[in-house]
Amino acid sequence: MATTTKAVGDLFDLIERKPDLLVDADLTVERDGVAFTVRGYDDLVAVDLPSFGAAFALWRDRMVGGPDAAAALAAAGLTAEIRVRGAPVARLGTDAVPSSLAKRLGLGPIQLFLDGALLAVTPRRG
């Protein structure tokens, strides 16, 4: 764990010495047979997953903890928005307003969108 902490600390030191990042990306990523998109719009990186199962798997297997990821994004001037089926369900980084529910759940400084979660689980017509 000390290696990870040192690596994250080194990353923060490096990022804080640089100007804010701008991201321009339009990717389709496949992980464990599940495809999802990553799109960058200047200081927003949107990760759109096909299901909550895919979102939970990605969160569970992350290399950096939620608080560290949020801090790294904020230090770089970036915001990540997690979407499920196009509906925003969580945001972390610069423009996130951490929710008390996320803190109580131990997720760290993450903004949760309950209305987005409801949209994500609602069956689509047509």
Side-chain angles (χ1 to χ4, degrees):
M1 189 58 131
T3 303
T4 302
T5 303
K6 183 178 181 336
V8 170
D10 291 343
L11 177 63
F12 289 153
D13 290 343
L14 178 66
I15 289 173
E16 288 176 350
R17 292 190 301 263
K18 303 286 184 194
D20 288 352
L21 296 175
L22 298 177
V23 178
D24 182 18
D26 188 0
L27 307 169
T28 299
V29 179
E30 186 172 319
R31 182 176 180 274
D32 296 333
V34 176
F36 58 94
T37 61
V38 178
R39 291 194 172 88
Y41 311 96
D42 293 328
D43 61 349
L44 174 69
V45 177
V47 179
D48 197 351
L49 297 138
S51 67
F52 272 109
F56 290 133
L58 189 64
W59 180 260
R60 181 188 64 239
D61 297 338
R62 69 195 184 279
M63 295 182 70
V64 178
D68 288 339
L73 286 163
L78 295 174
T79 301
E81 185 171 272
I82 309 304
R83 301 173 180 172
V84 174
R85 297 176 52 210
V89 296
R91 183 179 289 165
L92 59 155
T94 299
D95 292 332
V97 178
S99 65
S100 58
L101 176 60
K103 289 178 185 175
R104 279 185 283 215
L105 294 173
L107 300 176
I110 295 173
Q111 182 176 5
L112 298 177
F113 298 103
L114 297 180
D115 52 348
L118 289 173
L119 282 172
V121 298
T122 302
R124 298 230 170 32
R125 293 184 181 181

